[in-house]
């Protein structure tokens, strides 16, 4: 039986290698999330019923490798066997979509007049965005959401040493890898000032600065999504907005909060957003999440502040309209979020976080 692991498939897609990804899950499972660019055939039930004709309706070229995908990598083996009997070079994704959860791709962010290089690292299975910022021989990582080796290898290949890791806030949808990355790289962990995180870190306050090579990051306190949330302004040109401001929406105000606290958080978020909107119109917004699995297209998910202001309807509202709209549009709470918060406060990365982190990403309100 031919199989490929998630890292191999990831590297093929990142390199633009010709491969067809055939998703054989049910339509309901695929609706939650999928591998960007994959084809779909709703053959899950037929394959599990050992129907030899389950894939008869699928037309595939014989000369392009096909990787079949299901939830955990069993049904996809049946699918690839069936395709092989038709002479198709098929293999199955080991561990299925569960293993794919840790996949990622990158896009370089062009900053016209900064001497920093910014790489956006997109966890395609979880829609988290983290950033590697390098200048001269130093680098900073913001919101590490993948295994440390990803950041260490990206930095090393550019001749950078990671000297600082930062989180924009205490995350509720995924485990922060910042502490572990700092241990592996010898970097300092910087976090917004608060008393919840139990491991040693250097606290950032409004206007704190961190130097990276020839550039600096300045912390901007932006409470609302969470009380401690911060954004980081790079060289007066780009701002890493975490879950405070997305390209088409804003952060949810309700996690770890009751109804009254959510409303108070929404008011704080409004004020924080006004501070961000006061930045120059050409400032590049670099958010902490996306709302769809990011394609392997090397196109960074960014926008100028003026474009975000024009597109995000919520940013046009008065404070009272904003608060009322926000609290009525709160999306479903991410599964396991209390446990994720607890682990992030303790700085513990459990051995197999995929199950804990599973589920749709619902960080944004638009
Ligand atoms: Fe968040």
């Amino acid at each position: 039986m031919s199989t490929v692991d998630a890292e191999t498939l990831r590297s093929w897609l990142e390199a633009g290698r010709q491969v067809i990804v055939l998703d054989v899950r049910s339509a309901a499972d695929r609706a939650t999330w999928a591998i960007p660019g994959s084809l779909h055939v709703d053959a899950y039930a037929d394959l599990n019923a050992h129907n030899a004709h389950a894939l008869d309706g699928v037309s595939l070229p014989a000369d392009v490798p096909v990787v079949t995908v299901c939830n955990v990598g069993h049904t996809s083996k049946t699918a690839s066997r069936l395709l092989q009997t038709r002479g198709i070079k098929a293999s199955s994704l080991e561990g299925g979509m569960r293993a794919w959860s840790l996949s990622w791709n990158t896009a370089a962010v062009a900053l016209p007049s900064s001497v920093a290089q910014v790489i956006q690292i997109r966890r395609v299975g979880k829609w988290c965005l983290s950033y590697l910022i390098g200048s001269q021989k130093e680098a900073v990582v913001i919101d590490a959401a993948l295994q440390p080796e990803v950041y260490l290898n990206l930095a090393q290949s550019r001749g950078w040493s990671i000297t600082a890791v930062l989180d924009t806030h205490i995350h509720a949808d995924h485990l922060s890898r910042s502490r572990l990355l700092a241990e592996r790289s010898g970097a300092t962990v910087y976090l917004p000032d608060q008393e919840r995180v139990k491991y040693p870190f250097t606290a950032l306050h409004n206007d704190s600065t961190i130097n990276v090579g020839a550039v600096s990051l300045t912390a901007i306190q932006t409470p609302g999504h969470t009380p401690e949330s911060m954004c980081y302004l790079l060289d007066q040109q780009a701002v890493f907005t975490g879950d405070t401001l997305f390209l088409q929406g804003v952060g949810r105000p309700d996690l770890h909060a009751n109804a009254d606290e959510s409303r108070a958080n929404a008011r704080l978020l409004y004020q924080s957003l006004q501070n961000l909107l006061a930045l120059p119109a050409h400032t590049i917004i670099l958010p902490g999440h996306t709302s769809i699995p990011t394609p392997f297209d090397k196109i960074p998910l960014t926008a100028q502040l003026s474009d975000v202001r024009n597109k995000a309807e919520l940013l046009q509202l008065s404070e009272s309209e904003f608060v009322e709209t926000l609290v009525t549009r709160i999306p479903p709470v991410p599964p396991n979020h209390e446990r994720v918060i607890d682990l992030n406060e303790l700085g513990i990365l459990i051995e197999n976080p995929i199950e804990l982190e599973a589920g749709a990403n619902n960080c944004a309100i638009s």
Side-chain angles (χ1 to χ4, degrees), residues 169-173 225-226 243 255 289 363:
H169 64 291
I170 299 168
H171 296 282
D173 65 305
H225 170 61
T226 64
D243 291 358
L255 295 176
H289 280 103
C363 292

Side-chain angles (χ1 to χ4, degrees), residues 1-3 68 70 73-82 84 91-94:
M1 168 50 58
S2 170
T3 61
T68 57
C70 67
H74 297 314
T75 310
S76 56
K77 284 186 186 165
T78 309
S80 66
R81 264 194 298 266
L82 272 183
Q84 284 166 4
S91 48
S92 162
L93 178 65
E94 283 172 27

